[in-house]
Amino acid sequence: MSDATATDQTKSSAASNSGVTIRPEEAEHFGKLAEDWWNPHGSSAMLHKLNPVRLKFIREAIDVHWGGDIESVKPLAGKTALDVGCGAGLLCEPLARLGAQVTGVDAAPENALAAAAHADGAGLDIRYIAGEIGDQNIGQFDLVTCLEVIEHVADKAGFLAQLKSRLKPGGLMILSTPNRTAASRILLVQGAEAIGAVPRGTHHWGDFITPEELGSLLEAIGLTMGEPTGIAFSPAHGLHLSGELGLNYIAAVNHRQVAHSD
């Protein structure tokens, strides 16, 4: 895939369903991390540790939603997937290896370029686009993922509406985000950023959203969030899926009127 594919393909803002959701300062912050994104010991090291945990949840959600063969190595064969806020492609590449035709969209052109270059090196055919998700004429997808992103957008309700507009009827959406709790303030903002585990300025605690708040926003636009699963940390187990929601959580989301199978 050429660099031209990953350049800013943003259409006129008149095409947006709900206006601008990107915060320019957030896009700039993450764009500066682009060249180091795939370094497991670099500025995105925490994401590299988090990715397998999120993928475990996603794989289980895929199997439950579509009732596929849990032993299949390509449970997304024949399906399309969209990852919004894709960064340099840490999630897009595993989704492609699971068989999906993948599109990644990110606010920062630097990230889309880094993602495209890495996918080329890995021999993966993934389409990357930079810009506002609501401005892209890219149709709808069977699977829409948006992980650790909603806490960074300017208009959460508008952003979720844009995500819904990209989800096919009967499709599956996966969302993850930090919870707004005392634990997340201490560990994610004051702790992880202070020791350099997460780049300074990455998190703004007041922008975190609770599961109840997220569920209400989704319900208002005709989506239903399943029971969230926590992503917790302990010295013994590292990052892991948990019933404890205080730090971070991940959840499957469906159209309210659609059952869990197509």
Side-chain angles (χ1 to χ4, degrees):
M1 184 173 296
S2 68
D3 283 354
T5 308
T7 56
D8 192 345
Q9 301 177 27
T10 306
K11 306 298 187 291
S12 166
S13 61
S16 175
N17 291 332
S18 305
V20 174
T21 65
I22 292 173
R23 288 174 170 153
E25 68 275 14
E26 296 274 4
E28 182 181 1
H29 171 81
F30 288 105
K32 290 177 179 177
L33 307 177
E35 292 185 1
D36 196 41
W37 207 286
W38 279 95
N39 178 1
H41 306 294
S43 57
S44 295
M46 188 63 70
L47 283 179
H48 284 267
K49 295 175 182 177
L50 182 60
N51 215 36
V53 181
R54 303 187 303 192
L55 282 166
K56 182 176 188 296
F57 178 92
I58 290 169
R59 174 58 200 257
E60 291 174 357
I62 288 168
D63 291 337
V64 169
H65 186 78
W66 281 292
D69 178 5
I70 62 173
E71 301 296 329
S72 172
V73 295
K74 293 191 179 296
L76 291 175
K79 292 183 170 59
T80 55
L82 170 68
D83 185 34
V84 180
C86 64
L90 283 186
L91 180 62
C92 288
E93 293 197 8
L95 293 179
R97 291 189 175 97
L98 290 175
Q101 180 181 341
V102 180
T103 296
V105 177
D106 197 83
E110 301 93 334
N111 288 340
L113 288 167
H118 196 275
D120 277 346
L124 296 171
D125 183 14
I126 301 172
R127 174 176 59 169
Y128 287 105
I129 300 170
E132 185 82 43
I133 181 59
D135 293 343
Q136 311 305 324
N137 184 21
I138 53 177
Q140 294 184 311
F141 298 79
D142 299 295
L143 174 66
V144 174
T145 58
C146 186
L147 309 185
E148 321 308 319
V149 174
I150 191 171
E151 67 271 21
H152 299 293
V153 302
D155 175 4
K156 290 179 173 53
F159 181 68
L160 291 171
Q162 291 176 1
L163 294 183
K164 181 192 176 184
S165 73
R166 301 300 171 214
L167 184 64
K168 285 183 180 180
L172 172 66
M173 184 184 296
I174 306 289
L175 302 176
S176 71
T177 190
N179 197 353
R180 195 176 67 255
T181 63
S184 67
R185 184 198 289 270
I186 294 169
L187 293 176
L188 283 181
V189 181
Q190 298 174 348
E193 293 193 17
I195 65 173
V198 174
R200 287 185 181 274
T202 295
H203 294 120
H204 304 283
W205 184 81
D207 285 328
F208 291 0
I209 185 170
T210 69
E212 295 77 17
E213 291 166 347
L214 181 56
S216 294
L217 288 176
L218 291 166
E219 191 71 19
I221 58 173
L223 297 175
T224 298
M225 185 174 78
E227 188 69 25
T229 296
I231 299 177
F233 175 82
S234 72
H237 300 99
L239 290 167
H240 60 282
L241 296 176
S242 167
E244 173 53 55
L245 305 179
L247 187 62
N248 197 300
Y249 60 97
I250 186 168
V253 177
N254 303 273
H255 286 99
R256 188 163 53 220
Q257 71 276 20
V258 177
H260 280 259
S261 59
D262 54 11

